[in-house]
Amino acid sequence: MPFTLPPPLQRWIEATAAALLHPPGAAPFDFATPPGEEALVPPSSLAWRVFKNPVVLFTGGVAAVILELGEPRVRTGVWEHSSFRTDPLGRLQRTGLAAMVTVYGPRRAAERMIAGVVRAHGAVAGRTPAGEPYRANDPALLDWVQATAAFGFATAYHRYVRPLDGEEMDRLLAEGRPAARLYGALGAPESRAGMEALFAAVRPRMEPSPILAEFLGLMRATPILPRPLRPLQRLLVRAAVDLVPAEDRRRLGIPAREALRPWERPLLRALGALADRLVLASGPAARSCRRLGLPADFLYRG
């Protein structure tokens, strides 16, 4: 059943969540307008339920980046052409907002935003330290980025909120098709079989790098959450590492101590289930429901 916290605590939680989606200098995005405009996927989708959960967003997003950075061309492009090192919080805020607009935003706004990302990626190109050329808009690299994101969010929901059966997992992956195609990821997997095939194809290219340790250090040390929640932030980073398949963690040289301890896994499941029922009335999911004439707690029922 959906619930809210006592008013002072609810306001603090909602303000904290809103701050994570408000990059410096950017105007707030209003998910409640224009009234009646559909998103890229409908509110009946699994995606709308999955992306409303902040535990899923954090752990799934960090797991996705770990896997992205395992591929040397993606790693070089991300690390040399983004602000991860110089402004990790701002980068996370921009990425989080982009994910929310992609899932919940009015279709025209989502299409404009994605087109802007594609244009920006058009200027990103170079060579890896080993001399291999890369382009950010290379469809093969876009497929990998989309696949790692889909894997991260789907696995986080499956592991920490509610198990998804095979049909639901395939459905969730297929729901990403409209956005993936707009981003240029024309071969992004739309089923578990497609996901497994792509991972099998990319896995031999995955390699360890000091950048992975640097990224995880930034995720632990950057003040993403308010000071009282910093221990939770470090726990969520370990939960993200735990989502990465053990074979891939070994391949990337991530020590076992970076993942969850066995006793922490039930804690994450309890936290994920709790977050799934906590109605964030000012958040993108609830405001987008209102845009479409649905109750704010529509996605928190059942």
Side-chain angles (χ1 to χ4, degrees), residues 208-215:
S209 168
I211 287 173
L212 279 165
E214 185 179 354
F215 168 70

Side-chain angles (χ1 to χ4, degrees), residues 78-139:
V78 168
W79 222 240
E80 292 189 355
H81 296 273
S82 77
S83 56
F84 253 128
R85 282 179 290 185
T86 57
D87 181 23
L89 180 56
R91 168 62 192 251
L92 289 171
Q93 289 169 321
R94 289 187 291 274
T95 301
L97 179 59
M100 293 295 96
V101 173
T102 298
V103 175
Y104 298 113
R107 178 180 291 271
R108 284 173 293 181
E111 290 172 344
R112 284 195 302 270
M113 182 210 69
I114 294 172
V117 172
V118 172
R119 285 194 299 273
H121 282 173
V124 175
R127 290 184 176 271
T128 68
E132 188 174 13
Y134 66 85
R135 293 181 298 108
N137 278 340
D138 181 339

Side-chain angles (χ1 to χ4, degrees), residues 279-295:
V279 180
L280 299 178
S282 62
R287 290 184 63 78
S288 297
C289 282
R290 289 199 291 270
R291 183 181 80 243
L292 297 175
L294 299 168

Side-chain angles (χ1 to χ4, degrees), residues 251-276:
R251 187 179 291 271
L252 296 175
I254 300 174
R257 66 175 180 274
E258 300 277 6
L260 289 174
R261 288 76 162 173
W263 63 268
E264 291 176 324
R265 294 190 179 107
L267 178 60
L268 259 294
R269 287 192 290 271
L271 184 62
L274 184 70
D276 214 51

Side-chain angles (χ1 to χ4, degrees), residues 39-51 102-104 107 114 146 150 153-154 157 162 164 167-183 188-192 195 299:
L40 292 174
V41 290
S44 59
S45 64
L46 271 173
W48 273 50
R49 292 187 175 271
V50 166
F51 279 81
T102 298
V103 175
Y104 298 113
R107 178 180 291 271
I114 294 172
Q146 289 293 315
F153 296 127
Y157 191 84
R162 179 180 68 80
L164 297 172
E167 185 278 331
E168 288 177 313
M169 192 69 78
D170 284 345
R171 176 182 158 198
L172 181 58
L173 292 173
E175 287 172 355
R177 181 189 304 118
R181 291 185 174 180
L182 288 172
Y183 278 110
E190 299 175 8
S191 66
R192 288 168 297 150
M195 179 77 74
L299 297 171

